[in-house]
Amino acid sequence: PADFDPEFVEACRDRAATITVEIEAGGHRDTVTGRGDPDLEFTNERSAVGRTSDYVDDRTIVNGAEFGAEGFDRDLVAALADGAAVTVTISVTN
């Protein structure tokens, strides 16, 4: 998150923003949507976390996600566990 474009970060800090995270690996894809928050920091240099809650720390990139890890497509999870290359696309609309 520390390397995200400043304009993108600012757009994500709007509580009315819709943030969409798409994960694709091994021919499988899933998408989860949440919202922005004025307290999002985007300062972590090693990891990013989407949360179903309102909790924010330096790793948080989305709050109020529709579901957590258990909600992702199990074939996608299996592909990731098997080491498939992954593409993560994060978009924001206000």
Side-chain angles (χ1 to χ4, degrees):
D3 292 332
F4 288 1
D5 181 272
E7 289 181 28
F8 176 81
V9 170
E10 192 58 34
C12 290
R13 287 183 174 147
D14 182 343
R15 192 174 301 281
T18 298
I19 301 173
T20 303
V21 180
E22 180 183 79
I23 302 173
E24 185 175 358
H28 304 282
R29 179 184 333 197
D30 207 350
T31 302
V32 63
T33 301
R35 62 175 163 67
D37 190 289
D39 293 330
L40 293 176
E41 297 177 25
F42 292 91
T43 56
N44 196 287
E45 295 182 8
R46 297 182 46 97
S47 66
V49 177
R51 302 187 187 280
T52 58
S53 69
D54 292 330
Y55 179 78
V56 174
D57 68 11
D58 68 324
R59 301 178 312 145
T60 308
I61 61 168
V62 62
N63 274 351
E66 321 171 87
F67 54 84
E70 78 285 348
F72 280 94
D73 176 85
R74 300 329 292 168
D75 291 330
L76 172 63
V77 173
L80 291 168
D82 288 342
V86 62
T87 300
V88 178
T89 304
I90 306 168
S91 59
V92 60
T93 55
N94 294 65

